Amino acid sequence: VTGDPASVFNTHGVVGGRVYSIELSNDGETLYVGGSFTEVDDGGTLRNRIAAFDTTTGEPTSFDPNADGDVRTLKLNGDESLLYVGGAFGSVGGQGWDQFAAIDPVTGLATSLDAQILGDPETVLAIELSGDESSIYIGGESFTAVGGQPRQYFAEIDADSGVATSLDFDLDGGVQTISAAGDGKIFVGGAFVSSNRTTTGKLFSIDLSDNALTSFAPVPNNTVRALALSSDDSLLYAGGDFTDVNSGTTRNYLAVFDTSTGDATDFAPSESDMTTAYTLTLAPEDDELY
């Protein structure tokens, strides 16, 4: 995009709160937005915490799931038949689902999928899908049970039933972000330090073939809030509150790791260029980082 971005896409803003998450349809024609807002289009259209916009006109669509609490994360499945929604709500899409729901991305109506998330106060901050979309990974703050099983801050549920799988790391702090690689690994970042298996730092990787931790073990010195994988899954971009990784390597708020070794690359924006990174997205050719 060249020139003034407002001339290309302008939603005329949201009113009454913040935007926490965005998700773009595969054809680039619809942008889904979640947050704490209550109105969009300069206050001309009521939309409680979740909305969709036509990317050509910038106008809100009829999509209106009407969440009664903040929406913190959005994730479309591969064929875009479902939009997974996480946050701090008690109802969305016309159903009383706590903190997590699967909704129709056209009608905004919720499906019957219930992740049974419990805690006080529970908030879902991250949703990711397995490669075959048979499993959903959920991360967040304060929840103590998911899918009918005790789970601290992180869980895997069956995408059809909502029942928790055997994957259980019982973390000691919140999960902010999850990213799945095509080779059967997932990366998890947050504020945790350890699990029921070992010390994990703020960022770790799981091999889903055996549900075991991999040798990937960087050591950010503060919370990891955002992750993005390169198109070939060889590099992991991480953003957050940290200023040091790998116990002695200065990286202010943004770092890039080799996904095989966990070593930090030479990529290091200057401190003056960065503040806490809350979300990251790579362009399709990996030539730009947003």
Side-chain angles (χ1 to χ4, degrees), residues 5-57:
S7 67
V8 179
F9 175 70
N10 183 6
T11 66
H12 303 288
V14 299
V15 179
R18 298 179 177 181
V19 170
Y20 289 118
S21 182
I22 59 175
E23 181 80 337
L24 186 65
S25 63
N26 289 335
D27 60 12
E29 295 181 357
T30 304
L31 182 72
Y32 297 90
V33 179
S36 58
F37 54 84
T38 54
E39 299 176 68
V40 298
D41 200 24
D42 285 339
T45 304
L46 296 176
R47 289 291 184 270
N48 287 314
R49 303 167 185 92
I50 183 169
F53 296 92
D54 183 307
T55 57
T56 300
T57 66

Side-chain angles (χ1 to χ4, degrees), residues 1 11 14 44 47 63 88 152 159 167 175 184 198 214 222 232-233 253 259:
V1 175
T11 66
V14 299
R47 289 291 184 270
F63 177 79
Q152 290 279 110
L167 184 64
V175 168
T198 186
T214 72
N222 211 331
D232 63 0
D233 294 333
Y253 316 115
T259 55

